[in-house]
Amino acid sequence: MSTAQQYPTFQYTTLNGLPNNAVRALYVDSRGLLWVGTENGISVKENGRFLNFFTDDGLAFGSCWAIAEDSKGQMWFGSYGGGVSKFDGERFTSFPLDSGLIDARIRHFFPYKEKIFVGTENGLSIIDIKTDKIKPLENSLLNSPQSYISGFFLHEGMLYYTTYGMGIYRLDPELSEPQIEKVSEHQLIYAIGLNGAQIYLSNKGHIDEFEIKDLIAGKKPLRSFGQSIVWDYLNAGTNQFYLAAWGIYANNGGVFNLQDGILKSISKTFDVDATDILSLAYNTEKQILYLGSLEQGVYEVNLDQNILYYEFENKEVLGFSFEKNQKAILHEGGLSITSFEGKPIKSLSKSELKKVVDEYVKLNKSKLPKYEDDFYELDYQTIAEDVLFYELKFNQNSYWVSSNIGVFQIDLTGRILIYVPVHTFKIGFTPEGKFIETNPYGGVRIYEDLSQMTYTYFPYQNQPNTPTNVTQVLEYGGKTYFSSVFEGLFHYDKKGFYSYKNSGKLEISKIKQMHITKEGKLVLATEFDSIYVAEDRNGLKILETIDRNKILGKTVLFLESYQDHLLIGTEQGLNIYHK
């Protein structure tokens, strides 16, 4: 069993709502919102959804290569060719070339108090955020087709900016008419990154490392190392200094980490296959790292150490059980059982399970359940490759696996104890431990003896208390509960079956998911309506109703609980509900 640790990663493209997959800039604002600058529009991600803006909404130009937030909380967007746009929370204001910009091809912003320094392809401009007036600094003109402003940094009260091909400059950011002084001839600077007293300058195919004071003094780098071309740096805290790389003509880019002086590719750890990463952003509160790719949209990597992803042999995991200091994982290829530490105990493949079915059929041809007797249809000719697994449950010190070729009872060592030749999507057990089989269209069977296939059949025709179209079967407190996608909630106890809907105790009918907490609370997720938390003590009582508008996602795929937190899985991700 593979247990290689990875971080949970999600990729956003035009399929998820981005206006374009060519991402040039990323920025997390003071409210925690992610802004994405693409080659054709701007997006803001809020509550898992993207809201897009284009020139029709007031943007100066379609492409966006730079994003910043000023001290008033206003957002600024720099386009490559069309100037600057400002968003004040309600509307966009555009600032084209004739508004005072020294060049309309924007590369970088640097907010400073009530100013924003605008680094362009051909020099520097200053925006006064109180008046929105823009002043071009004529003494900053580069006048070179082979250069542009590639980054800013502050040091001892002075503002420095780097250029691609014409060296490094500084000025006093407090002055309205700052003088510009060249401090270094260092060239081919694609981007800069600061990590404490160290500064890193991206060169063509390597990185030059300096102490800031040495760089300003014109000294040579401490060392040169690395590969590819780094376009962005991000310091996310202790041992989290990230680099975004794209080699332009070489396929050697991706995302890297620089720790203890060692540069290491972490693309595989982050499950990032793009080699054209240009931009980085970080949500400190949520510990989420964002990576912008030139062709593959945005990658969202969750760095929270409380959430770790373990790849499982590249197989889809369908269910798992953690009982008796063991781990059992039901996956698309079969069942894998290990110790809690991960030592293999037994793996059962589709082929092994199919052999058990074939042997059973050979010995019991006359006893096989029939469709005419209201058993759900089962094709014994199904080949191993076409076996589908539905559920994994733990009961009576055994694992129970349901599939389209039948149900298997498997002991803790992986030995198959019983094969049950029934096709059922949802299985369960009575409070006394008897096996329950549900047929979505044909009622319920409770088995007295599985080896002899003796059972009591409860048809649903003309039996309003018999569950049908069952979505979940769970046992708690001397009752077995059934949720139904059409008929609501049922239970079975010593008195027989009971329908809460037909008795008038619970009008909810379309229950897609059900969960029972350790305290015995019933959590019921309906198909379109709210989620209900109930208690069944001396009669059913709704304790809490959770509005579906609070939940991200339209379809509830699972319910779980941990302590007093409710975990709600949807097609959009995981919602954690607390009080």
XYZ file of all heavy atoms in Angstrom, residues 119 145 168 190 239 274 277 288 326 397 414 428 450 461 502 507 520 541 552 560 566:
157
model
N 5.695 49.967 -12.122
C 6.825 49.580 -12.957
C 6.346 49.084 -14.298
O 5.516 48.159 -14.379
N 14.494 48.460 -25.914
C 13.524 47.385 -26.201
C 13.882 46.093 -25.493
O 13.095 45.155 -25.483
C 13.621 47.229 -27.720
C 15.008 47.674 -28.059
C 15.317 48.789 -27.094
N 20.143 48.165 -11.583
C 19.297 48.368 -10.404
C 19.368 49.833 -9.987
O 20.449 50.437 -9.987
C 19.756 47.461 -9.243
C 19.750 45.981 -9.692
C 18.860 47.636 -8.010
C 20.370 45.031 -8.672
N 15.036 38.731 -14.139
C 13.649 38.427 -14.483
C 12.698 38.716 -13.321
O 11.545 39.078 -13.522
C 13.511 36.962 -14.878
C 14.118 36.607 -16.212
C 15.451 36.260 -16.312
C 13.345 36.604 -17.361
C 16.017 35.917 -17.545
C 13.890 36.264 -18.604
C 15.232 35.922 -18.678
O 15.780 35.583 -19.895
N 10.848 27.956 6.608
C 11.135 26.886 5.639
C 10.105 26.792 4.523
O 9.906 25.732 3.939
C 11.248 25.529 6.348
C 12.436 25.464 7.285
O 13.471 26.067 7.011
N 12.279 24.756 8.382
N 2.142 21.192 -14.334
C 2.518 22.323 -15.189
C 3.985 22.682 -14.969
O 4.481 22.673 -13.839
C 1.626 23.524 -14.896
N 4.956 27.804 -14.454
C 4.401 28.565 -13.327
C 5.013 29.959 -13.313
O 6.235 30.118 -13.265
C 4.684 27.849 -11.984
C 4.207 26.390 -12.031
C 3.997 28.591 -10.840
C 2.739 26.213 -12.242
N -3.157 28.429 2.415
C -3.350 27.945 1.046
C -2.384 28.668 0.118
O -2.309 29.900 0.120
C -4.800 28.156 0.580
C -5.748 27.255 1.382
C -4.940 27.864 -0.908
C -7.212 27.467 1.068
N -6.708 -2.004 12.734
C -6.439 -2.306 11.338
C -7.074 -1.258 10.432
O -7.998 -0.543 10.842
C -7.002 -3.691 10.958
C -6.283 -4.844 11.619
C -6.721 -6.193 11.064
O -6.185 -7.210 11.444
N -7.690 -6.201 10.163
N -17.060 -8.337 13.894
C -15.630 -8.571 13.682
C -15.304 -8.994 12.249
O -14.347 -9.729 12.004
C -15.095 -9.637 14.654
C -14.878 -9.054 16.044
O -14.549 -7.874 16.176
N -15.081 -9.867 17.061
N -8.420 -11.340 6.212
C -8.649 -11.303 4.777
C -9.228 -12.581 4.218
O -9.359 -12.723 2.997
N -27.096 -3.688 5.602
C -27.098 -3.274 7.002
C -27.325 -4.476 7.896
O -27.305 -5.629 7.445
N -27.331 -17.033 6.743
C -26.788 -16.685 5.434
C -26.279 -17.914 4.688
O -26.409 -18.015 3.473
C -25.638 -15.669 5.591
C -26.053 -14.206 5.683
C -24.852 -13.343 6.021
C -26.677 -13.738 4.383
N -44.705 -3.602 -1.716
C -46.048 -3.444 -2.284
C -47.098 -3.567 -1.174
O -47.124 -4.538 -0.428
C -46.312 -4.514 -3.355
C -45.485 -4.335 -4.619
C -44.149 -5.064 -4.539
O -43.759 -5.526 -3.462
N -43.465 -5.144 -5.659
N -45.132 8.196 7.139
C -46.512 7.713 7.153
C -47.171 7.882 8.516
O -48.399 7.973 8.616
C -46.554 6.248 6.734
C -46.171 6.062 5.280
O -46.370 6.955 4.468
N -45.592 4.916 4.949
N -42.122 14.847 8.004
C -42.652 15.021 6.659
C -41.571 14.954 5.587
O -41.866 14.872 4.400
C -43.389 16.362 6.558
C -44.626 16.441 7.427
C -45.668 15.393 7.049
O -45.814 15.107 5.833
O -46.317 14.841 7.954
N -25.674 9.863 19.128
C -26.961 9.334 18.693
C -27.831 10.318 17.955
O -29.012 10.043 17.720
N -37.395 14.296 17.278
C -37.452 15.740 17.477
C -36.344 16.401 16.658
O -35.181 15.993 16.740
C -37.278 16.073 18.964
C -37.298 17.568 19.273
C -37.059 17.807 20.752
C -37.039 19.299 21.066
N -36.737 19.547 22.506
N -21.503 25.144 0.588
C -20.986 25.244 -0.765
C -21.168 23.898 -1.460
O -20.672 22.876 -1.000
C -19.506 25.618 -0.723
C -18.816 25.784 -2.072
C -19.483 26.888 -2.872
C -17.349 26.092 -1.887
N -20.415 13.144 7.845
C -19.630 12.554 8.924
C -19.611 13.553 10.069
O -20.042 14.703 9.927
C -18.192 12.247 8.465
C -18.060 10.967 7.660
C -18.308 9.712 8.483
O -18.263 9.795 9.727
O -18.539 8.651 7.876
N -19.699 18.942 12.259
C -20.343 18.161 11.216
C -19.583 18.369 9.913
O -19.318 19.502 9.503
C -21.800 18.596 11.046
C -22.625 17.842 9.997
C -22.746 16.372 10.361
C -24.008 18.474 9.872
